[in-house]
Amino acid sequence: MGFMKSKEAIRNTLKNQKKQSEIKKKVFRERMSQLRVRLEEVGAERAPEYTEPLGELQQSLKICIQVTGIYKGFCLDVIRNKYECELQGAKQHLESKKLLFHHALQGELQEQIQRLEEDRQSLDISSEWWDDKLHVRSSAKTWDSLPPSKRKKAPLISGPYIVYMLQEIDILEDWTAIKKATASVSPQKRKADGP
């Protein structure tokens, strides 16, 4: 009897093990089907495990975009202000350079005018040539009104000749320089010839 009991017990345990393995297989299949359903939901973007974090990410993305837009606006304002400052600085620099150049040029011209006036005063400018120039300048308007018989004819020049295209101011400067040179050489010549 004891042997029969043990056989039955073994059968019962085998049956129980068989039932348990079947239950385990069923549970495994159910879990697999649930996981497949969830995987399909995630693939279709419907699963709560996917949609909740996605919603949070989208909300933080909106906030990041807003913050970036504000930061971009500030950066653009800074760049615009820098540009305007540099432009204003360049304009002020240009104006100050213009003013300095104007003053320097005006000073140089005043100095040249003063030198010419001093040269004119120091030399005898009442020469015949100077008077002729002044006379020609004052009567230049009436030159055309003179009859051809009273006009001076230009002398004919034959052979090689040089034509100077100088302005009157250049001629006057050269003439005053020559006068100065001859005036400074004349006293030295007299000293050298005298004793």
Side-chain angles (χ1 to χ4, degrees):
M1 270 228 270
F3 183 68
M4 293 286 258
K5 274 186 179 180
S6 64
K7 265 187 173 183
E8 266 183 54
I10 291 174
R11 276 186 206 155
N12 282 338
T13 52
L14 285 174
K15 279 184 187 178
N16 285 340
Q17 284 179 353
K18 209 177 198 183
K19 281 182 184 178
Q20 282 180 352
S21 69
E22 285 176 11
I23 290 172
K24 282 182 182 178
K25 285 180 184 178
K26 277 184 183 179
V27 168
F28 178 74
R29 284 185 206 126
E30 284 179 23
R31 282 192 178 170
M32 282 298 288
S33 66
Q34 286 175 354
L35 287 174
R36 283 188 189 122
V37 167
R38 281 191 176 173
L39 186 63
E40 287 173 6
E41 287 177 348
V42 168
E45 300 178 3
R46 288 184 315 230
E49 295 89 0
Y50 177 78
T51 56
E52 288 173 12
L54 179 66
E56 291 173 8
L57 283 173
Q58 286 175 341
Q59 185 64 28
S60 62
L61 176 66
K62 285 178 185 176
I63 292 170
C64 283
I65 288 172
Q66 288 175 349
V67 169
T68 306
I70 293 168
Y71 180 71
K72 176 186 171 186
F74 285 138
C75 287
L76 287 174
D77 288 343
V78 166
I79 291 170
R80 196 175 298 115
N81 290 339
K82 261 187 180 179
Y83 168 74
E84 288 173 2
C85 287
E86 287 184 16
L87 186 65
Q88 186 178 6
K91 284 180 180 177
Q92 288 175 353
H93 182 70
L94 176 68
E95 289 300 319
S96 66
K97 285 284 189 182
K98 273 185 183 177
L99 195 61
L100 284 173
F101 180 70
H102 177 70
H103 286 311
L105 190 60
Q106 190 175 17
E108 284 180 23
L109 289 174
Q110 288 290 345
E111 192 177 306
Q112 284 180 358
I113 289 170
Q114 188 176 359
R115 262 190 281 137
L116 284 173
E117 284 294 323
E118 288 172 0
D119 290 347
R120 193 175 122 225
Q121 303 239 346
S122 67
L123 297 175
D124 181 27
I125 301 186
S126 62
S127 72
E128 186 177 309
W129 183 80
W130 182 262
D131 289 338
D132 286 347
K133 276 290 177 191
L134 288 177
H135 181 67
V136 167
R137 196 181 301 156
S138 65
S139 65
K141 292 179 184 173
T142 60
W143 175 262
D144 292 335
S145 63
L146 291 175
S149 61
K150 291 196 174 185
R151 288 186 196 166
K152 288 184 181 177
K153 291 185 179 177
L156 294 175
I157 300 173
S158 62
Y161 59 91
I162 299 173
V163 176
Y164 293 100
M165 303 290 285
L166 295 175
Q167 300 291 328
E168 282 187 33
I169 188 74
D170 296 332
I171 294 170
L172 287 175
E173 285 178 356
D174 292 347
W175 184 78
T176 53
I178 291 169
K179 279 289 195 181
K180 264 188 180 178
T182 55
S184 65
V185 169
S186 296
Q188 291 173 357
K189 215 175 194 185
R190 286 183 208 144
K191 286 180 184 176
D193 292 343

